[in-house]
Amino acid sequence: MLLLILKRIGLGLITLFIVSLITFVGVEVLPGDACTTYLEREAYGAALDACIKRLGLDVPAYERYLDWASNVVRGDFGYSLSGEMPINEVLGPRVKNSLVLASVSILIGIPLAIILGIITALWRDKLPDIMISTITIFSMTIPEFISATLLILIVAIWLGWLPGIVIIPSDATFYELLSNIILPVVAISMIMTAHMARMVRSSVIQVMASDYVQMAILKGVPYWKMVFRHVLPNALLPAINVVALTIAWLLGGVVVTEVVFNYPGLGRLVIESISNRDLPVVQALAIILASIYVGINLIADLMTLMLNPRLKSLQIRK
Amino acid sequence: MNEIIESVKNLSIGFNSQKGKQISILRNVSTNIKKGETVGIVGESGSGKSTLALAMMGYIKQGLFPLKGECLFKSKDLLKMSSRQLEKIRGRKIAMIPQNAGQALTPNLKIGYQIDEALKLHTDLNKTERDKKISELLNKVRLPSPETMAFRYPHELSGGQQQRVAVAMALAGKPDLLLLDEPTTGLDVTTQAHVLELLRFIAKDTGTSMIYVSHDLGAIAQVSDRIVVMYAGEIVLEGPARKILKEPIHPYTYGLLKSIPKLSLAGLPASMPGSQPQPGSINEGCSFYDRCNLATDNCKKNSPDLEHIKELDTNVRCFNYKELINQNNNLQTSITKKSNNSEANEVLKLKDVSISYAKQKFFDQLLNKISDQNPTVKDINIDIKKGETIALVGESGSGKSTILKSIAGLLKTKDGQIKFENDRILSSDLKMRNPNDLRAIQLIFQNPDESLNPNHTVEQILSQPLKLYFNLSGEELKKNIIDLLKKVRLGEFYMSRYPRQLSGGEKQRVAVARAFAAKPDIILCDEVTSALDVSVQAAVLNLLQQLKEDLGTTYVFVSHDLAVVRAISDRVAVLYQGRLCEIGPSQNVYKFPSHPYTEVLLGAVLEPDPDIKPKLVAEDIVEEKPPEKGCSFQGRCPRKIGDICNSEIPPWQIGENGNAIRCHINIEELASLQQ
Ligand SMILES: Nc1ncnc2c1ncn2[C@@H]1O[C@H](COP(=O)(O)OP(=O)(O)O)[C@@H](O)[C@H]1O
Ligand code: SF4
Ligand code: SF4
Ligand SMILES: [Mg+2]
């Protein structure tokens, strides 16, 4: 078991290494370098020299990679070009904002999705299922930018209940943030919850049709007890991985929603730094996003392993 | 003894077809279960047995609904009860033992918990009493070390053990009535015999009534006091077990019994034509009309009622049943088959063949060898003559299919050679074989559903080998396809059908036709009849035999069923854990002396005869791996003589009957032991 965990962690690290290499090489083979891309027309003479010096572009590529990588490992991503300040300072508030948005959406969306999924499955083809399923399918099919824009139109502009776009100072407190993010959270949760609820629904339906559930009924196990002991543990197991992917997707920044609501999260930073050609920031973001995906998937796999007796004893026997 | 526990009255269950028509799959079923009685319900798959059994617990599968009638348990109708009321009865008064315990135990719950759940629901015992009871129950179903067993998950048990757990769980609520739906189907022969023995013991010990549902008359014969025969959703015959099995007076039951191969009988069983009608396709007349050889015009127009015949204590649904009274002698006949020409040359030789599933280590891969000291299959030597049918027999895991795959080139051998015609060595790698060798050896699989492409018509399926091996096209291709279909007794109109539009037996015929399309010299048959109902099995066996007699094909026939093997094969090779135990002419394998493992297998065969009880001589434990040294059967052998069995590979000895047996016991001594 321990060996397996170590192996998975090792694999994760290798993935990260490859991602870092690819982004580094990618940036390297682009015509020009960080300075010429950034300075554009002014890329000549003293300004260019100063920039090259500042970024240390005058040393060979592999040395720069090693240098950069060792700094990253120590948690230092170097300097941003556009802001001319340490990337860590650029990232800090963005990470915090994304984290807040993601955690609020997760805390609301995932339990809601599971509950809706279970309700629709247990009342399959009855009124609750028909109603909820219609809504979920509807919100799955509308693209984010439309639903987000509609939300702004209705809630912010017509009703005037909430601010339409988010204007938050970088030192905003958690509470201040909260009141600002209601609309983005709703927009995100709609899609996320819908997708997950559908998945939970089909998983529960599948388990409900299994021989062991029929057996439990024939054994005289009362309905709700059967649902909680025999159905849900087995039905929700495969949901763990989907939940993990959703969380990673949320943490990585929900680009469209952030742009529509002008929310300063990681997703918008990706867009901004790409359009500003701020290559050091792009590199840093690539590594961070990759780490989030690798980390969360690792946790999900380990959880599945812990919860599934079948896999657990297989591993122990080996 | 005469108190009625449950009575089913005029029960019909059906579903709504896509066209909105109401289609019944149970029609007017009535029967009574008495206290302490075991009733066997037998019929082909799709005859409505399971639907009936579940309805007797007040459970109707999703998509189905009761059309009329009632299921009275102690004079209360289960079908009208609320789920609250049913919870009080299920598990406590009526308990179920499911077909596939492996799938019927909840995977995330330990088996102790699952039994405890039943105890909590249906008894007033406290925690310590329940724990004691769990051990008691696990002990009663003869599971080893009950204390630790309770802490295991279902998947950590073998199939037979899972089935025992299901029995323990059903017994927890001390039910008055036990429902068993195919409780031994899918288990190995020896395990099956053990589980049946356990059930018989429990019925006697606790006085519980049982309803035993199965398609297998052999199993039914072992446990039932009374037998109900179902056909196309109706009861066609019902009466005391002995009467039904020995003097069946309904043409369907008669034909069914005749189509079961028997150990005591050489030759092939007679087959019944046709197959059971689909629900909804029965309009008027007797539902067995198409397949009945006693049918008259009256049968076509009028459907017979279930008639009670007092002197036989039997209910029968047939106008002409009188013709079958006193016809029982005919049951013991079979179709003799032409024996093969023993002068023929050998077409296939397996020489010292060993096969391993072990993953190649890195260095071995470089050197292209496998260094497994204890391979799955080891030292197989068999010479197969042209036109011969040789059977490989053994329980699951004995390496039968592994050997077939190697002959077919789907699995590399570790050591040894496979020689084809004139001692030419066949590569064990499919890609290295020449096209003619590929054509010459064909495989037929157990499950035609998996081996026939569902998106191809029968024509497309059969044209593939014809195009590939003989480059046929146009009119000639079509003519060949029609010829092939004719060979397997299917009409031309089957060409445009898809596999899903065929019955199980028809699908297997198409698979047989596909194999014969290549005009092969050797056909490898992997449990080809195991998934079929007995009446269909008999038809496929007869078909295979006919084709062989006409075309001189050689068969390697893998099966776990000794009676089937006896019927079809000329020679039998018995395998245990991938090692040969015994090989000899099939009419002799059933005569002693036998290898102790063959003896165990023979003892476990279930005959459709209440007077022939299985002999249980060995434990039904499952061994995961063959032993490192000594005799392969040492772990379970009831005749084991001592350390020599553990340390030395036994020698081959030839018995009086011409069988080669591999055992340390002197062959004459073995013969006298087995007298
Ligand atoms: N849920 C269902 N919906 C429609 N038809 C069904 C359903 N379950 C079973 N059947 C049909 O009912 C018939 C009897 O089924 P079953 O009782 O399982 O037979 P058996 O146990 O004898 O194999 C079959 O023709 C089968 O296809
Ligand atoms: S009623 Fe007629 S068709 Fe039906 S089983 Fe009897 S003889 Fe055969
Ligand atoms: S050699 Fe020994 S263990 Fe093997 S079959 Fe003979 S008696 Fe049994
Ligand atoms: Mg069934």
Side-chain angles (χ1 to χ4, degrees):
Chain A
M1 186 76 175
L2 193 69
L3 197 76
L4 189 88
I5 297 176
L6 288 178
K7 218 161 140 185
R8 294 303 305 264
I9 293 178
L11 270 177
L13 290 179
I14 292 174
T15 316
L16 286 183
F17 170 69
I18 293 172
V19 169
S20 75
L21 216 62
I22 290 173
T23 40
F24 193 86
V25 171
V27 167
E28 210 48 41
V29 296
L30 283 177
D33 54 35
C35 284
T36 46
T37 358
Y38 174 59
L39 293 173
E40 292 184 344
R41 294 224 180 107
E42 288 125 58
Y44 59 83
L48 183 63
D49 287 344
C51 178
I52 286 178
K53 206 129 225 131
R54 181 158 58 88
L55 291 181
L57 290 185
D58 42 359
V59 291
Y62 70 92
E63 262 180 48
R64 263 184 294 132
Y65 175 73
L66 288 180
D67 209 33
W68 176 74
S70 64
N71 280 333
V72 167
V73 172
R74 269 183 266 117
D76 175 10
F77 287 101
Y79 271 86
S80 139
L81 289 177
S82 46
E84 301 208 338
M85 57 172 172
I87 291 181
N88 283 356
E89 274 173 40
V90 181
L91 283 174
R94 298 300 188 109
V95 171
K96 190 187 86 190
N97 289 345
S98 270
L99 220 55
V100 171
L101 186 63
S103 12
V104 175
S105 311
I106 289 165
L107 285 179
I108 296 173
I110 291 180
L112 188 67
I114 291 177
I115 291 170
L116 290 181
I118 294 171
I119 291 177
T120 48
L122 295 184
W123 277 272
R124 185 184 178 185
D125 296 335
K126 305 252 170 61
L127 195 63
D129 176 31
I130 294 169
M131 272 165 46
I132 297 172
S133 287
T134 316
I135 297 173
T136 47
I137 291 172
F138 186 66
S139 52
M140 254 160 67
T141 38
I142 323 178
E144 272 171 291
F145 63 90
I146 293 183
S147 55
T149 319
L150 279 177
L151 272 176
I152 296 179
L153 184 70
I154 297 170
V155 182
I157 299 180
W158 289 355
L159 299 172
W161 288 349
L162 291 164
I165 47 171
V166 184
I167 307 162
I168 33 177
S170 58
D171 56 351
T173 63
F174 180 73
Y175 184 75
E176 275 175 298
L177 264 176
L178 213 54
S179 63
N180 265 294
I181 60 172
I182 292 177
L183 281 189
V185 164
V186 171
I188 293 170
S189 307
M190 257 169 71
I191 293 198
M192 180 186 78
T193 308
H195 274 284
M196 263 173 10
R198 295 302 292 175
M199 219 221 57
V200 171
R201 177 180 185 270
S202 64
S203 180
V204 171
I205 286 178
Q206 203 187 342
V207 173
M208 288 288 282
S210 71
D211 284 357
Y212 55 85
V213 167
Q214 181 182 324
M215 187 63 216
I217 296 173
L218 294 179
K219 209 163 112 182
V221 180
Y223 186 77
W224 286 108
K225 188 155 187 222
M226 173 208 64
V227 169
F228 283 107
R229 297 298 322 214
H230 294 262
V231 177
L232 293 187
N234 294 300
L236 295 183
L237 210 55
I240 291 178
N241 280 302
V242 176
V243 170
L245 273 180
T246 318
I247 294 177
W249 167 71
L250 281 176
L251 287 178
V254 262
V255 178
V256 177
T257 318
E258 286 184 10
V259 170
V260 174
F261 288 101
N262 192 33
Y263 187 84
L266 279 176
R268 241 184 63 206
L269 186 60
V270 174
I271 303 272
E272 283 167 11
S273 55
I274 288 174
S275 57
N276 288 341
R277 316 208 167 182
D278 197 339
L279 294 181
V281 177
V282 173
Q283 269 178 350
L285 282 170
I287 289 292
I288 289 178
L289 297 188
S291 319
I292 291 175
Y293 271 85
V294 168
I296 292 196
N297 276 318
L298 182 67
I299 293 172
D301 284 353
L302 293 180
M303 263 170 73
T304 318
L305 212 60
M306 304 277 197
L307 293 177
N308 191 342
R310 191 170 282 263
L311 293 176
K312 197 159 62 184
S313 55
L314 268 181
Q315 292 313 325
I316 290 167
R317 235 182 261 160
K318 266 183 193 162
Chain B
M1 184 73 187
N2 280 334
E3 186 193 334
I4 289 173
I5 292 224
E6 178 159 1
S7 104
V8 179
K9 290 216 166 93
N10 300 322
L11 181 65
S12 293
I13 290 179
F15 63 95
N16 282 328
S17 74
Q18 279 156 338
K19 293 186 192 109
K21 235 175 56 186
Q22 214 171 57
I23 291 174
S24 40
I25 61 176
L26 274 191
R27 291 177 294 147
N28 253 324
V29 172
S30 303
T31 188
N32 294 322
I33 315 299
K34 296 194 193 108
K35 194 166 173 9
E37 176 187 52
T38 300
V39 177
I41 301 182
V42 69
E44 292 176 48
S45 61
S47 60
K49 314 177 292 287
S50 300
T51 311
L52 173 60
L54 289 173
M56 292 177 87
M57 291 192 85
Y59 184 87
I60 308 283
K61 261 189 282 182
Q62 200 163 26
L64 300 176
F65 49 86
L67 301 173
K68 70 174 173 69
E70 44 197 8
C71 291
L72 300 174
F73 179 75
K74 304 203 165 149
S75 21
K76 278 185 274 296
D77 188 359
L78 294 172
L79 299 177
K80 295 213 174 64
M81 283 187 190
S82 69
S83 51
R84 225 2 93 65
Q85 286 169 305
L86 283 170
E87 278 159 20
K88 294 253 148 44
I89 288 184
R90 291 176 179 158
R92 187 178 307 187
K93 304 279 187 227
I94 313 177
M96 174 86 167
I97 296 174
Q99 164 158 11
N100 191 336
Q103 278 160 28
L105 296 171
T106 308
N108 68 313
L109 301 175
K110 293 184 177 134
I111 62 168
Y113 176 89
Q114 301 198 40
I115 296 174
D116 193 38
E117 189 174 48
L119 286 172
K120 254 195 263 177
L121 288 167
H122 305 303
T123 65
D124 305 322
L125 305 176
N126 63 32
K127 179 87 182 83
T128 37
E129 287 168 334
R130 287 204 310 271
D131 283 344
K132 215 176 115 229
K133 189 82 193 167
I134 293 172
S135 293
E136 243 173 72
L137 284 167
L138 290 173
N139 213 7
K140 183 168 214 151
V141 296
R142 300 181 202 150
L143 278 165
S145 48
E147 301 76 30
T148 53
M149 198 51 99
F151 295 101
R152 301 234 216 137
Y153 287 102
H155 70 272
E156 297 170 323
L157 274 55
S158 72
Q161 290 174 330
Q162 288 170 338
Q163 201 63 47
R164 281 158 199 268
V165 170
V167 176
M169 203 159 87
L171 292 177
K174 286 217 185 116
D176 301 328
L177 177 61
L178 268 179
L179 284 171
L180 305 102
D181 190 0
E182 307 259 11
T184 62
T185 309
L187 300 178
D188 260 323
V189 270
T190 51
T191 316
Q192 185 176 2
H194 272 97
V195 172
L196 282 174
E197 209 269 325
L198 171 71
L199 292 172
R200 229 181 9 234
F201 163 77
I202 282 167
K204 215 190 280 156
D205 190 48
T206 60
T208 316
S209 311
M210 292 194 186
I211 296 177
Y212 190 103
V213 174
S214 179
H215 72 283
D216 182 355
L217 272 167
I220 292 266
Q222 301 309 317
V223 290
S224 314
D225 302 317
R226 211 153 54 81
I227 293 179
V228 172
V229 184
M230 309 240 347
Y231 186 77
E234 285 177 321
I235 293 180
V236 293
L237 185 65
E238 176 176 7
R242 191 168 300 268
K243 282 249 158 51
I244 303 282
L245 293 168
K246 299 223 157 173
E247 301 158 47
I249 55 164
H250 189 280
Y252 170 67
T253 317
Y254 189 82
L256 202 60
L257 278 162
K258 278 198 80 156
S259 61
I260 300 175
K262 292 166 201 76
L263 267 187
S264 50
L265 216 58
L268 291 159
S271 64
M272 261 191 283
S275 58
Q276 189 175 241
Q278 291 294 310
S281 67
I282 310 148
N283 297 319
E284 52 176 13
C286 175
S287 53
F288 190 57
Y289 176 78
D290 292 343
R291 303 174 73 185
C292 185
N293 52 12
L294 296 180
T296 55
D297 276 350
N298 184 23
C299 311
K300 189 170 185 179
K301 288 183 216 89
N302 304 308
S303 36
D305 290 325
L306 198 62
E307 193 181 327
H308 183 70
I309 300 152
K310 211 158 181 192
E311 54 274 27
L312 295 175
D313 188 18
T314 300
N315 297 332
V316 60
R317 191 186 292 277
C318 174
F319 294 122
N320 305 327
Y321 71 88
K322 288 204 177 82
E323 292 187 34
L324 285 170
I325 295 178
N326 295 328
Q327 287 287 307
N328 50 331
N329 290 337
N330 269 336
L331 270 181
Q332 297 302 323
T333 55
S334 64
I335 303 165
T336 38
K337 59 175 198 272
K338 225 165 72 189
S339 67
N340 68 307
N341 173 12
S342 52
E343 306 288 287
N345 292 332
E346 276 130 12
V347 276
L348 190 74
K349 287 185 183 170
L350 304 185
K351 190 152 187 340
D352 297 327
V353 170
S354 297
I355 309 159
S356 167
Y357 282 107
K359 261 222 288 261
Q360 276 182 317
K361 300 224 176 67
F362 182 66
F363 283 109
D364 294 342
Q365 227 160 12
L366 288 183
L367 299 170
N368 194 17
K369 63 164 200 181
I370 305 162
S371 62
D372 183 1
Q373 291 308 312
N374 195 17
T376 312
V377 166
K378 197 174 172 190
D379 294 341
I380 302 294
N381 281 296
I382 305 176
D383 293 347
I384 301 164
K385 292 204 174 94
K386 192 166 169 44
E388 183 181 41
T389 300
I390 182 147
L392 306 180
V393 199
E395 289 162 291
S396 64
S398 59
K400 308 175 299 264
S401 302
T402 308
I403 295 174
L404 277 201
K405 280 191 206 147
S406 264
I407 300 177
L410 299 172
L411 200 64
K412 275 192 194 160
T413 51
K414 172 183 173 296
D415 293 312
Q417 289 142 3
I418 298 171
K419 291 179 182 170
F420 178 57
E421 279 180 340
N422 312 325
D423 286 350
R424 193 157 49 79
I425 294 177
L426 274 184
S427 163
S428 61
D429 187 349
L430 202 61
K431 282 173 255 146
M432 310 281 283
R433 291 193 180 177
N434 72 43
N436 194 44
D437 290 343
L438 291 178
R439 177 197 59 76
I441 302 179
Q442 296 288 319
L443 244 167
I444 308 176
F445 296 94
Q446 168 168 8
N447 196 339
D449 283 324
E450 284 161 26
S451 63
L452 300 179
N453 185 333
N455 300 319
H456 285 178
T457 59
V458 170
E459 179 175 6
Q460 285 169 317
I461 290 169
L462 294 181
S463 63
Q464 274 164 359
L466 292 171
K467 282 185 195 157
L468 181 67
Y469 298 122
F470 307 109
N471 248 326
L472 296 183
S473 61
E475 274 306 302
E476 211 183 343
L477 178 68
K478 193 160 174 205
K479 199 178 133 286
N480 269 277
I481 293 175
I482 295 171
D483 271 358
L484 277 170
L485 285 173
K486 209 181 283 164
K487 270 197 195 122
V488 296
R489 322 259 152 74
L490 292 175
E492 201 178 320
F493 59 91
Y494 279 98
M495 275 172 61
S496 57
R497 298 261 190 109
Y498 287 92
R500 63 170 177 279
Q501 297 166 319
L502 305 174
S503 74
E506 288 168 341
K507 276 182 241 176
Q508 200 58 296
R509 277 164 206 261
V510 172
V512 170
R514 179 174 59 182
F516 273 97
K519 300 205 171 71
D521 299 310
I522 301 171
I523 294 188
L524 312 173
C525 306
D526 194 354
E527 299 269 12
V528 287
T529 63
S530 321
L532 305 175
D533 277 311
V534 275
S535 71
V536 184
Q537 162 173 295
V540 171
L541 288 177
N542 278 297
L543 172 70
L544 286 172
Q545 179 65 24
Q546 195 58 52
L547 287 170
K548 169 185 142 165
E549 283 174 16
D550 294 348
L551 305 169
T553 323
T554 308
Y555 291 130
V556 183
F557 192 93
V558 159
S559 177
H560 67 277
D561 186 335
L562 274 171
V564 168
V565 160
R566 156 116 216 210
I568 185 103
S569 68
D570 302 311
R571 226 152 36 106
V572 181
V574 182
L575 288 155
Y576 187 76
Q577 291 286 349
R579 278 82 177 139
L580 273 180
C581 298
E582 174 168 355
I583 183 165
S586 56
Q587 74 260 29
N588 290 346
V589 164
Y590 305 88
K591 291 190 194 133
F592 294 126
S594 294
H595 187 277
Y597 179 55
T598 317
E599 199 188 344
V600 168
L601 286 181
L602 285 170
V605 170
L606 302 172
E607 300 251 14
D609 184 336
D611 296 328
I612 305 178
K613 295 275 176 236
K615 297 183 220 41
L616 305 172
V617 277
E619 292 297 313
D620 60 330
I621 40 176
V622 180
E623 294 190 272
E624 307 239 311
K625 256 190 355 207
E628 304 263 336
K629 52 185 186 176
C631 171
S632 61
F633 193 46
Q634 54 179 273
R636 287 173 64 192
C637 181
R639 299 204 181 275
K640 190 169 164 183
I641 49 175
D643 281 344
I644 188 168
C645 299
N646 298 346
S647 54
E648 272 172 54
I649 294 181
W652 281 107
Q653 307 178 63
I654 309 285
E656 226 170 76
N657 50 10
N659 290 354
I661 291 172
R662 206 182 203 180
C663 179
H664 283 302
I665 302 175
N666 179 288
I667 195 114
E668 273 119 42
E669 203 184 323
L670 198 58
S672 66
L673 281 172
Q674 288 168 339
Q675 276 318 306

